[in-house]
Amino acid sequence: MKYYSLNNNAKPVSFSEAVIQGLAPDRGLYFPEEIQPLPKEFIANIDQYSNEEIAFEAIKQFVGDEIPKETLQKIVSETINFDFPVVSLEENIGALELFHGPTLAFKDVGARFMARCLGYFNSQNPDKVTVLVATSGDTGGAVANGFLGVNGVDVVILYPSGKVSDIQEKQLTTLGKNITALEVHGVFDDCQDMVKSAFLDEGISRQLTSANSINVARWLPQMFYYFFAYKQLYKQHSDIVFSVPSGNFGNICAGMMAQKLGLPIKHFVAATNVNDTVPQFMKAGKYEPKASTATISNAMDVGNPSNFIRIQKLFNNDFQDLKTRFSSFSFSDDLTKDAMKRIYNTSNYVADPHGAVGYLGLETYGLQEKEFGVFLETAHPVKFLDVVEETLSQKIPIPEEIQEIITKKKESIQISTYDELKSFLNS
């Protein structure tokens, strides 16, 4: 499998090169040169396969022969060794819970898969690789946990000061070892811009790669959730609509890749907070990124989502074709809190702010007869403890893995400019 830059000004690379480079030299995102649909018989009988078998079939063409079959199977097995249940809330709505991994967030899958792939590729390399990643919330903790102690890999995480939850911050600033957190005075887009600039800076002496969803090894494994959900639902529901809380749009783009592989998903809804660059694009057909705004659903506080260009590519940049399979709506914090209350009052279910935005996406889309809507619960409610408890007037039990980090001391290095990042990387 070869990958090419969506900026079309860099030579094609192998899977391993795409993983190690993260971003193409022309600042473009890597995209597979070809996508082969899975056998129809496999999709039709998907409930006869284990999650490990499904995930292996979905990912193997994108890895090719660069990782031996037995090794890739082991990587997949270690990546998804927890549950992905669809919890029924209403007659035609369910929540796909993606928070049963080690850091209680959906990004555990991509981070664990990438860490193991990079560890394999780097096992014979005497030089260290530095994973440089920007986070608006959950990416940092998932990447830190996934790469903790991986030989030959240092991890540097940039996060916006005061704009992640306390628990999210503790998850990325308390591990030590090969993990360093840089606290940036700015917003997530500032962090992301610094990361992109570092990749193109020939004055940086380290070998850099990214663990954001711009990296193919972080982005593609997110397909797995959609296959697992479909496996649970397809015998009872023929028309499935996914509503995905969306910030950098990697998760929903992976779902649309699963659709490209043959998974019969009827429609996708990208639900955002007030950072509405894509909802506005879907109204007017004009893409105008903007500065991000802080919200209670902070993992979606992205004004220029990197992965939307991949979504457009999946539809050959045909706006009208995209509109037939994809919708996008934005919601305020007040609407989000109201949805959290309604979900709790009607279903006795505690949704985090991001999941509530996904629920609102289904409401606005307007499910038709025979359609079953699935919104993604991308993080455990405890990760947004203050907002959830204040909104619902309920105390949320704190899981044991979170209790272990709450009392740990935060360790971070404060920076404000790209020059400070560059100085740190070269030190």
Side-chain angles (χ1 to χ4, degrees):
M1 171 64 75
K2 289 288 187 179
Y3 291 81
Y4 68 98
S5 168
L6 289 177
N7 282 350
N8 295 305
N9 196 28
K11 68 180 182 67
V13 298
S14 65
F15 176 72
S16 61
E17 289 172 316
V19 172
I20 293 169
Q21 291 180 24
L23 195 67
D26 63 355
R27 289 182 81 100
L29 272 62
Y30 282 120
F31 196 83
E33 283 192 337
E34 56 181 319
I35 302 168
Q36 293 293 332
L38 298 176
K40 292 182 179 179
E41 296 78 12
F42 176 79
I43 301 294
N45 299 290
I46 197 168
D47 63 320
Q48 297 180 19
Y49 299 91
S50 68
N51 281 358
E52 289 80 5
E53 290 170 327
I54 293 168
F56 177 78
E57 287 299 315
I59 202 68
K60 68 179 184 180
Q61 68 173 289
F62 300 103
V63 177
D65 59 2
E66 296 183 61
I67 298 177
K69 178 180 177 181
E70 295 75 15
T71 302
L72 182 58
Q73 287 173 325
K74 184 174 185 290
I75 288 173
V76 166
S77 179
E78 292 175 352
T79 295
I80 59 170
N81 60 354
F82 45 90
D83 294 330
F84 301 85
V86 177
V87 179
S88 181
L89 302 185
E90 300 173 19
E91 184 179 356
N92 62 344
I93 292 179
L96 173 57
E97 293 185 344
L98 302 178
F99 53 70
H100 295 280
T103 71
L104 310 184
F106 79 99
K107 296 180 180 180
D108 280 325
V109 166
R112 286 154 71 89
F113 183 83
M114 182 187 168
R116 284 155 177 78
C117 288
L118 190 59
Y120 174 80
F121 292 140
N122 210 43
S123 59
Q124 305 301 320
N125 185 355
D127 299 322
K128 278 194 172 185
V129 171
T130 297
V131 173
L132 185 63
V133 61
T135 183
S136 57
D138 288 321
T139 294
V143 169
N145 181 278
F147 282 87
L148 183 64
V150 174
N151 290 332
V153 179
D154 288 329
V155 178
V156 178
I157 302 169
L158 282 70
Y159 74 98
S161 181
K163 295 179 175 63
V164 302
S165 75
D166 291 343
I167 289 175
Q168 287 174 325
E169 187 175 41
K170 285 293 183 74
Q171 285 185 315
L172 59 95
T173 61
T174 60
L175 294 178
K177 294 186 179 180
N178 59 326
I179 313 296
T180 302
L182 301 184
E183 186 174 355
V184 177
H185 294 284
V187 297
F188 169 74
D189 294 313
D190 298 318
C191 301
Q192 185 163 256
D193 286 344
M194 288 186 187
V195 168
K196 290 180 177 179
S197 295
F199 284 122
L200 302 175
D201 192 334
E202 295 179 356
I204 291 177
S205 57
R206 298 196 194 194
Q207 167 68 60
L208 298 179
T209 190
S210 172
N212 281 98
S213 55
I214 61 174
N215 193 301
V216 295
R218 255 288 319 278
W219 162 51
L220 288 169
Q222 295 174 118
M223 294 187 296
F224 300 163
Y225 322 135
Y226 301 91
F227 283 98
F228 300 162
Y230 180 80
K231 173 184 173 181
Q232 296 173 62
L233 297 172
Y234 82 109
K235 286 194 171 179
Q236 292 78 37
H237 306 284
S238 58
D239 297 334
I240 300 174
V241 177
F242 282 99
S243 180
V244 185
S246 299
N248 224 6
F249 279 70
N251 195 353
I252 192 167
C253 184
M256 299 176 91
M257 178 64 88
Q259 184 185 55
K260 195 79 171 177
L261 292 182
L263 200 65
I265 300 168
K266 184 173 183 182
H267 200 81
F268 282 94
V269 178
T272 78
N273 53 32
V274 295
N275 294 283
D276 62 350
T277 298
V278 172
Q280 289 301 320
F281 170 80
M282 295 306 295
K283 288 179 181 178
K286 188 175 181 181
Y287 188 81
E288 295 182 323
K290 60 186 74 175
S292 60
T293 300
T295 72
I296 60 172
S297 50
N298 64 279
M300 301 189 295
D301 293 348
V302 182
N304 187 14
S306 294
N307 285 287
F308 191 62
I309 188 174
R310 283 177 169 147
I311 291 176
Q312 291 174 293
K313 183 61 184 177
L314 284 170
F315 287 83
N316 294 315
N317 296 301
D318 185 329
F319 181 65
Q320 294 305 319
D321 190 24
L322 176 63
K323 288 178 72 173
T324 64
R325 296 290 186 94
F326 175 86
S327 304
S328 190
F329 312 110
S330 67
F331 305 97
S332 67
D333 281 353
D334 286 342
L335 287 172
T336 303
K337 289 180 179 179
D338 179 64
M340 293 167 67
K341 292 175 184 175
R342 287 191 287 112
I343 294 168
Y344 184 74
N345 290 335
T346 59
S347 305
N348 198 32
Y349 187 84
V350 178
D352 89 293
H354 304 76
V357 170
Y359 178 86
L360 286 168
L362 289 176
E363 281 194 332
T364 304
Y365 165 77
L367 293 167
Q368 303 299 309
E369 186 179 359
K370 294 186 179 180
E371 290 183 341
F372 187 83
V374 179
F375 69 90
L376 274 56
E377 259 295 292
T378 54
H380 194 290
V382 76
K383 301 190 79 170
F384 310 95
L385 192 63
D386 293 344
V387 173
V388 174
E389 291 189 339
E390 177 188 351
T391 301
L392 301 183
S393 300
Q394 298 288 331
K395 297 296 287 185
I396 306 299
I398 299 178
E400 186 176 325
E401 52 265 60
I402 297 298
Q403 292 179 7
E404 292 176 359
I405 67 167
I406 287 177
T407 58
K408 290 185 177 181
K409 183 182 178 181
K410 163 187 163 182
E411 298 284 351
S412 68
I413 298 171
Q414 298 193 4
I415 66 170
S416 300
T417 66
Y418 173 71
D419 286 342
E420 289 175 292
L421 170 62
K422 180 174 179 178
S423 176
F424 171 79
L425 292 174
N426 284 331
S427 64

